[in-house]
Coordinates of all heavy atoms in Angstrom, one line a residue:
V1 N -23.5 7.4 -17.4 CA -23.0 7.2 -16.0 C -21.7 6.5 -16.0 O -21.3 5.7 -17.0 CB -24.0 6.4 -15.2 CG1 -25.3 7.1 -15.1 CG2 -24.3 5.0 -15.8
G2 N -20.9 6.8 -15.0 CA -19.6 6.1 -14.9 C -19.7 4.7 -14.5 O -20.7 4.3 -13.8
R3 N -18.9 3.9 -15.1 CA -18.8 2.5 -14.8 C -18.2 2.2 -13.4 O -17.4 3.0 -12.9 CB -18.1 1.7 -15.9 CG -18.7 1.8 -17.2 CD -17.9 1.1 -18.3 NE -17.8 -0.3 -17.9 CZ -16.9 -1.1 -18.5 NH1 -16.0 -0.6 -19.3 NH2 -16.9 -2.4 -18.1
L4 N -18.6 1.1 -12.8 CA -18.1 0.8 -11.5 C -17.4 -0.6 -11.5 O -17.8 -1.5 -12.2 CB -19.2 0.8 -10.4 CG -19.9 2.1 -10.2 CD1 -21.1 1.9 -9.3 CD2 -19.0 3.2 -9.6
L5 N -16.4 -0.8 -10.6 CA -15.8 -2.0 -10.4 C -16.1 -2.4 -8.9 O -15.7 -1.7 -8.0 CB -14.3 -1.9 -10.6 CG -13.5 -3.2 -10.3 CD1 -13.9 -4.3 -11.3 CD2 -12.0 -3.0 -10.5
T6 N -16.8 -3.5 -8.7 CA -17.3 -3.9 -7.3 C -16.4 -5.0 -6.8 O -16.3 -6.1 -7.5 CB -18.8 -4.3 -7.4 OG1 -19.6 -3.2 -7.8 CG2 -19.2 -4.6 -5.9
L7 N -15.8 -4.8 -5.7 CA -14.9 -5.8 -5.1 C -15.2 -5.8 -3.6 O -15.9 -5.0 -3.0 CB -13.4 -5.4 -5.3 CG -13.0 -5.2 -6.8 CD1 -11.6 -4.5 -6.8 CD2 -12.9 -6.6 -7.4
A8 N -14.6 -6.9 -3.0 CA -14.7 -7.0 -1.5 C -13.6 -6.2 -0.9 O -12.5 -6.0 -1.4 CB -14.6 -8.5 -1.1
G9 N -13.8 -5.7 0.3 CA -12.8 -4.9 1.1 C -12.8 -5.3 2.5 O -13.8 -6.0 3.0
D10 N -11.8 -4.8 3.3 CA -11.7 -5.1 4.7 C -11.7 -3.8 5.4 O -11.0 -2.8 5.0 CB -10.4 -5.9 5.0 CG -10.4 -7.2 4.3 OD1 -11.2 -8.0 4.7 OD2 -9.5 -7.4 3.5
L11 N -12.4 -3.6 6.5 CA -12.3 -2.4 7.4 C -11.1 -2.5 8.3 O -10.9 -3.5 8.9 CB -13.6 -2.3 8.2 CG -14.9 -2.0 7.4 CD1 -16.0 -1.8 8.4 CD2 -14.7 -0.9 6.4
L12 N -10.3 -1.4 8.3 CA -9.1 -1.4 9.1 C -9.2 -0.2 10.1 O -9.9 0.8 9.9 CB -7.9 -1.2 8.2 CG -7.7 -2.1 7.1 CD1 -6.5 -1.7 6.3 CD2 -7.5 -3.6 7.6
L13 N -8.4 -0.3 11.2 CA -8.3 0.7 12.1 C -7.0 1.5 11.9 O -5.9 1.0 12.1 CB -8.3 0.2 13.6 CG -8.1 1.2 14.7 CD1 -9.4 2.1 14.8 CD2 -8.0 0.4 16.0
P14 N -7.1 2.7 11.4 CA -5.9 3.5 11.2 C -5.3 4.0 12.5 O -6.0 4.4 13.4 CB -6.3 4.7 10.3 CG -7.8 4.9 10.7 CD -8.3 3.5 11.0
L15 N -4.0 3.9 12.6 CA -3.3 4.4 13.8 C -2.7 5.7 13.7 O -2.0 6.2 14.6 CB -2.2 3.4 14.3 CG -2.8 2.0 14.7 CD1 -1.6 1.1 15.2 CD2 -3.9 2.1 15.7
A16 N -3.0 6.4 12.6 CA -2.5 7.8 12.4 C -3.5 8.5 11.5 O -4.2 7.8 10.7 CB -1.1 7.8 11.7
R17 N -3.7 9.8 11.7 CA -4.6 10.5 10.9 C -4.1 10.8 9.5 O -3.1 11.4 9.4 CB -5.0 11.8 11.6 CG -5.6 11.6 13.0 CD -6.1 13.0 13.5 NE -5.0 13.9 13.6 CZ -4.2 14.0 14.7 NH1 -4.3 13.1 15.7 NH2 -3.2 14.8 14.7
P18 N -4.7 10.3 8.5 CA -4.2 10.5 7.1 C -4.2 11.9 6.7 O -3.5 12.3 5.7 CB -5.1 9.6 6.2 CG -6.4 9.5 7.0 CD -6.0 9.5 8.5
D19 N -5.1 12.8 7.3 CA -5.1 14.2 6.9 C -4.1 15.0 7.7 O -4.1 16.3 7.5 CB -6.5 14.7 7.1 CG -7.0 14.5 8.5 OD1 -6.4 13.8 9.3 OD2 -8.1 15.1 8.9
D20 N -3.4 14.4 8.6 CA -2.4 15.2 9.4 C -1.0 15.0 8.7 O -0.3 14.0 8.8 CB -2.3 14.6 10.8 CG -1.4 15.4 11.7 OD1 -0.8 16.4 11.2 OD2 -1.3 15.1 12.9
R21 N -0.7 16.1 8.0 CA 0.6 16.1 7.2 C 1.8 16.0 8.1 O 2.9 15.6 7.7 CB 0.7 17.3 6.3 CG -0.5 17.4 5.3 CD -0.4 18.7 4.4 NE -1.4 18.7 3.5 CZ -1.3 18.2 2.2 NH1 -0.2 17.7 1.8 NH2 -2.3 18.3 1.4
S22 N 1.7 16.5 9.4 CA 2.8 16.4 10.2 C 3.1 15.1 10.8 O 4.1 14.8 11.5 CB 2.6 17.5 11.4 OG 1.5 17.1 12.2
N23 N 2.1 14.2 10.7 CA 2.3 12.8 11.3 C 3.0 11.9 10.3 O 2.5 11.7 9.2 CB 0.9 12.3 11.6 CG 1.0 11.1 12.6 OD1 1.9 10.3 12.5 ND2 0.0 11.0 13.5
R24 N 4.2 11.4 10.7 CA 4.9 10.6 9.8 C 4.8 9.1 10.2 O 5.8 8.4 9.9 CB 6.4 11.1 9.8 CG 6.6 12.5 9.3 CD 8.1 12.8 9.2 NE 8.7 12.9 10.5 CZ 8.6 14.0 11.3 NH1 8.0 15.1 10.8 NH2 9.2 14.0 12.4

């Protein structure tokens, strides 16, 4: 099995769609 690195993270509110290539 693949090894994992477990860390803490923060949830953020994105203000632009990352899958929208036209959004700069």
